[in-house]
Amino acid sequence: MSLDRARQLEMFRRMLRIRLFEEALIAHYPVGHLSIGQEGAIAGACMALRDDDYVTGTHRSHGHPIGKGAEIAPLMAEIFGKRTGICKGLGGSMHLTDTKLGLICESAIVGGGFPLATGAGLSAQVRGSDQVSLCFFGDGAVNQGTFSESVNMGAVWKLPVIYFCENNGYAVTTPVEKSHGQPEIARRADGYGIPGVVVDGQDAEAVHAVTLEAVERARAGEGPTLIEAKTYRFDEHSNRLAIPIEYRSKEEIEHHRKERDPITLYRAVLQARDLLSEVEAIEEEVRKTIDDAVEFAKASPEPEMSDLWDSMYVNPIGAPVGGEGL
Amino acid sequence: MTMRNATQKLSYLQAIVEAQREEMRRDERVILMGEDIAVYGAQTLFDEFDEKRLRNTPISENSFVGVGVGAALTGLRPIVDLTIASFCYLASDQIINQAAKLRFMTGAQLAVPLVVRTSTFYNNRTAAQHADRPYPLFMNTPGLKVLAPSNATDAKGLLKSAIRDDDPVVVFEDINLWGKKEEVPTDEDFLVPIGKAAVRREGGDVTIVSIAGCLPHALSAADALAKDGVEAEVIDLRTIVPLDKETILASVAKTGRLVVADNSHKVGSVASEIAAVVSEEGFESLKKPIQRVAAPQVHVPYNAALEKQLFVSKDRIIEAVRAIA
Ligand SMILES: Cc1ncc(C[n+]2csc(CCOP(=O)(O)OP(=O)(O)O)c2C)c(N)n1
Ligand SMILES: [Mg+2]
């Protein structure tokens, strides 16, 4: 899992896919929560996982499947609400869950993923599998009871879970310092007797390195790690929610866009390693992948009412109740 | 002093903000808590009240509602904003096991003057974890009062009544109505009584009981039906608990036909309860079976066209009326 050249380029590819996927959304199909600015943390973490490792995510869901290596077109079609979407157009922007790559939930209920990721770790332990489970969550989610309760269970049962915080500094308009008694999120790990690590989320390779260490610990049966990746969201909390107050300065945003863009930073690293022509080929390829995905999404059919009923139960017993005629 | 009959043009959401402003001025025990409250309309309150009484909470629904309950038990009158109704589930332990039960379990030693505000966020392309209309869950919980206003005037008047009430009240605001403007009374003592439905349109052929955001659809259905000579009486329920049986039964006694429009899921819905009450207590007046127009037992999909089809519409109400005409 260490990063040879091919995997360095793959990590760059996934970061760029997240960026261009979302830029295409801004242009073609405006939706809520974007991960632009957070690509280094997401791809860095995912590159430390195997395809069969589990992932849970959040309302800011686009980056997680892309980071895990998912096919792009079904993700795009999902956002367009189409039947060819990864969730048949039923889940949408906050829920891009590609189970083929181990994603088991993108929860729009903040904090909803902690128990599920912990449960996936429990499952791996009980089945004697060496899979691990990685739980993505935001800084705001740490204040849900499910965080404490789940991390404690993960710790006491030594479950193979990585609790990975995308700390972008804010929950909607609330800065971390105004909502956390202990704003250093990694230090919360002390309360559960597990390691807590801080990493620069704009440095994809650094993120990869700390995550890999946590994954190895988990696979070895030594239990969970809490990782806090310090990152930044470049756009508004949600492009569908009007924010009437200025809770972060324009200078702060500009600083991050100019100086702390994880893609610009990693591109420079790869260039210094003489990989510019490979990088340029990837840029060309990703642009085409995204354009093709938009075309695919546009041309795809809408889901039908029967898809709703068909998606409810594995084993429906008798006629549907309460929906006759619809 | 405001004039007795003065009004001001306000949207549903602005009316809610004004209700809170007036009650916070009137009674310093009233505080407001919730996540990013400025984003949900309260930013202008910050010009007038300090952060002691306006609190942005961490994302900890069960506990901040419980904090509201604890403060209500000990001398404050908190308004807790749970923003989106699907998040009520996270706080349901504190609402149901504590707020609704503490008075009873202490043999009436305690009171819980708490208001929980929340909004039903459907028809907004946010998918199943944001779009629930969980009124029936709370209707099935004794000890709570449950409100669902359908216009700006009621949103203001009912919220003010809720804040002044000594029991826990859950207010469901409907985001499909947030932007709707009308003239709203500015009198600080203008209240809409809890427990009283409003007859919005009189008619003798069929009764349509409408809950929250169903009202505009019920009224346009009634207009369309009138063109075909069917006169519908439209009742806006306004309060879900306590249910205004009298107004509903009196109307059904006149019309003999009942359609209930409810955007919650049909099974165990508010419409189901109303149908049960009318068949128990008004059976003799019924000429035809009661019709429930509600959401089917599937979750809310992200796809906008399908989402829309789940909910009450003018056409679905007309169809239900025709079925029993
Ligand atoms: C249980 C719950 N409460 C509130 C919300 C509304 N909400 C959506 S995202 C969000 C902020 C989350 O902040 P954070 O965890 O830091 O994630 P970020 O948005 O910064 O990625 C809030 C309050 C929600 N979706 N679920
Ligand atoms: Mg955040």
Side-chain angles (χ1 to χ4, degrees):
Chain A
M1 282 298 141
S2 71
L3 286 175
D4 57 19
R5 285 189 159 211
R7 291 186 61 78
Q8 292 167 25
L9 291 167
E10 176 60 17
M11 185 155 75
F12 180 78
R13 172 183 287 110
R14 293 186 190 182
M15 290 165 69
L16 191 66
R17 281 178 155 202
I18 299 172
R19 175 70 55 95
L20 297 190
F21 182 88
E22 294 197 329
E23 286 181 355
L25 293 180
I26 294 171
H28 297 284
Y29 206 94
V31 285
H33 312 88
L34 304 184
S35 300
I36 292 179
Q38 305 184 194
E39 300 93 336
I42 297 167
C46 288
M47 288 296 293
L49 299 173
R50 292 194 319 231
D51 282 358
D52 67 338
D53 288 327
Y54 296 111
V55 166
T56 67
T58 67
H59 56 287
R60 204 171 295 290
S61 88
H62 310 159
H64 307 135
I66 301 177
K68 197 88 196 326
E71 194 191 335
I72 297 296
L75 303 179
M76 188 68 81
E78 183 62 28
I79 294 191
F80 280 60
K82 297 300 179 72
R83 195 175 197 202
T84 54
I86 191 68
C87 307
K88 293 208 188 90
L90 308 189
S93 165
M94 293 193 278
H95 304 280
L96 297 188
T97 316
D98 188 344
T99 59
K100 293 188 292 302
L101 284 152
L103 285 106
I104 55 167
C105 136
E106 293 285 330
S107 176
I109 296 298
V110 170
F114 294 120
L116 305 185
T118 306
L122 175 72
S123 163
Q125 190 188 62
V126 170
R127 288 184 285 107
S129 155
D130 70 344
Q131 291 162 292
V132 303
S133 171
L134 185 139
C135 178
F136 281 112
F137 56 97
D139 44 283
V142 174
N143 289 321
Q144 287 289 25
T146 49
F147 171 82
S148 280
E149 294 167 358
S150 302
V151 176
N152 181 57
M153 271 186 270
V156 79
W157 291 337
K158 292 216 179 311
L159 300 179
V161 187
I162 298 92
Y163 297 100
F164 188 99
C165 183
E166 294 173 65
N167 179 0
N168 60 13
Y170 300 88
V172 191
T173 63
T174 307
V176 171
E177 309 77 58
K178 286 211 168 170
S179 56
H180 293 61
Q182 171 52 275
E184 293 176 47
I185 287 168
R187 287 187 58 187
R188 294 235 193 174
D190 296 349
Y192 309 98
I194 63 169
V197 193
V198 186
V199 65
D200 177 2
Q202 309 309 84
D203 179 345
E205 287 195 358
V207 172
H208 175 265
V210 300
T211 311
L212 193 59
E213 205 174 309
V215 167
E216 282 167 358
R217 226 180 91 77
R219 282 204 218 286
E222 291 166 27
T225 303
L226 173 61
I227 297 173
E228 176 190 359
K230 293 213 187 273
T231 183
Y232 199 79
R233 95 173 126 65
F234 289 3
D235 288 81
E236 241 334 319
H237 167 72
S238 160
N239 287 338
R240 295 186 61 206
L241 187 69
I243 304 286
I245 53 171
E246 194 186 281
Y247 62 94
R248 54 179 197 175
S249 68
K250 291 198 178 60
E251 295 74 37
E252 180 185 304
I253 301 169
E254 272 317 293
H255 164 72
H256 283 88
R257 281 179 182 275
K258 288 218 176 79
E259 314 290 333
R260 305 273 301 140
D261 183 326
I263 294 180
T264 315
L265 293 174
Y266 197 42
R267 194 179 192 278
V269 169
L270 295 176
Q271 188 171 355
R273 290 178 193 157
D274 271 337
L275 292 169
L276 186 59
S277 61
E278 287 86 344
V279 162
E280 284 172 348
I282 289 172
E283 287 168 342
E284 189 58 38
E285 166 218 300
V286 173
R287 266 194 288 277
K288 180 158 179 0
T289 305
I290 300 295
D291 288 348
D292 291 350
V294 170
E295 288 317 308
F296 172 78
K298 283 185 180 163
S300 288
E302 303 278 333
E304 289 165 19
M305 203 43 115
S306 58
D307 293 323
L308 272 51
W309 293 102
D310 292 346
S311 302
M312 287 297 299
Y313 294 96
V314 176
N315 179 22
I317 298 172
V321 179
E324 298 86 349
L326 264 171
Chain B
M1 275 313 278
T2 18
M3 308 237 304
R4 283 282 137 190
N5 298 320
T7 61
Q8 177 186 17
K9 192 157 196 160
L10 294 177
S11 71
Y12 185 94
L13 187 56
Q14 287 167 332
I16 289 162
V17 174
E18 290 316 304
Q20 295 175 125
R21 186 194 312 283
E22 289 174 13
E23 295 307 300
M24 287 184 73
R25 278 182 191 157
R26 177 178 176 270
D27 184 346
E28 64 182 21
R29 296 170 304 170
V30 178
I31 65 167
L32 173 60
M33 315 196 309
E35 292 162 15
D36 302 283
I37 51 180
V39 176
Y40 296 91
Q43 76 272 20
T44 61
L45 299 179
F46 282 93
D47 302 337
E48 191 172 340
F49 305 102
D50 63 28
E51 293 191 4
K52 206 154 107 192
R53 296 175 68 198
L54 287 173
R55 298 219 172 217
N56 275 316
T57 61
I59 308 173
S60 313
E61 285 84 4
N62 197 33
S63 291
F64 74 67
V65 170
V67 167
V69 177
L73 293 170
T74 52
L76 298 187
R77 304 183 76 84
I79 307 165
V80 179
D81 184 356
L82 261 181
T83 57
I84 293 178
S86 295
F87 310 159
C88 284
Y89 302 128
L90 285 83
S92 58
D93 175 56
Q94 288 291 327
I95 298 174
I96 296 173
N97 272 324
Q98 307 295 351
K101 293 180 182 170
L102 279 176
R103 178 170 177 77
F104 176 83
M105 295 184 73
T106 57
Q109 294 178 76
L110 293 171
V112 186
L114 173 79
V115 175
V116 175
R117 286 180 45 215
T118 192
S119 63
T120 52
F121 225 73
Y122 60 102
N123 262 336
N124 195 38
R125 272 205 305 142
T126 48
Q129 289 178 341
H130 274 63
D132 279 353
R133 297 81 47 224
Y135 332 111
L137 178 65
F138 296 100
M139 183 182 213
N140 193 240
T141 302
L144 302 176
K145 294 170 181 166
V146 183
L147 312 179
S150 73
N151 62 38
T153 301
D154 286 353
K156 183 176 179 195
L158 279 170
L159 180 55
K160 286 168 67 81
S161 293
I163 295 167
R164 297 187 193 188
D165 198 280
D166 289 331
D167 292 313
V169 183
V170 182
V171 188
F172 286 96
E173 298 155 13
D174 191 316
I175 62 144
N176 295 275
L177 304 168
W178 266 3
K180 281 212 154 112
K181 290 198 170 185
E182 65 178 31
E183 292 294 332
V184 176
T186 54
D187 178 354
E188 290 103 10
D189 286 318
F190 166 78
L191 299 174
V192 172
I194 293 174
K196 286 267 167 281
V199 177
R200 299 289 183 202
R201 183 187 194 284
E202 294 191 11
D205 298 327
V206 59
T207 300
I208 303 173
V209 174
S210 162
I211 294 149
C214 298
L215 188 68
H217 305 285
L219 289 172
S220 49
D223 285 345
L225 288 162
K227 292 196 181 109
D228 293 342
V230 177
E231 291 299 336
E233 180 141 298
V234 177
I235 297 176
D236 177 2
L237 194 61
R238 304 203 289 189
T239 295
I240 292 174
V241 180
L243 190 65
D244 183 358
K245 293 184 194 180
E246 246 172 57
T247 300
I248 298 169
L249 289 166
S251 177
V252 175
K254 185 169 74 171
T255 62
R257 291 177 170 84
L258 175 63
V259 170
V260 189
D262 177 0
N263 273 325
S264 52
H265 292 290
K266 189 171 184 179
V267 175
S269 58
V270 177
S272 300
E273 177 60 19
I274 292 172
V277 165
V278 172
S279 48
E280 281 175 355
E281 300 178 33
F283 188 75
E284 318 303 31
S285 2
L286 286 170
K287 297 176 190 146
K288 289 281 181 170
I290 299 165
Q291 303 292 305
R292 292 172 293 163
V293 181
Q297 295 308 103
V298 288
H299 292 299
V300 175
Y302 166 76
N303 179 281
L306 289 181
E307 176 178 19
K308 203 157 196 267
Q309 287 182 55
L310 300 196
F311 298 119
V312 170
S313 64
K314 170 186 159 189
D315 289 345
R316 285 184 62 198
I317 295 173
I318 292 173
E319 200 184 310
V321 169
R322 292 255 157 82
I324 55 169

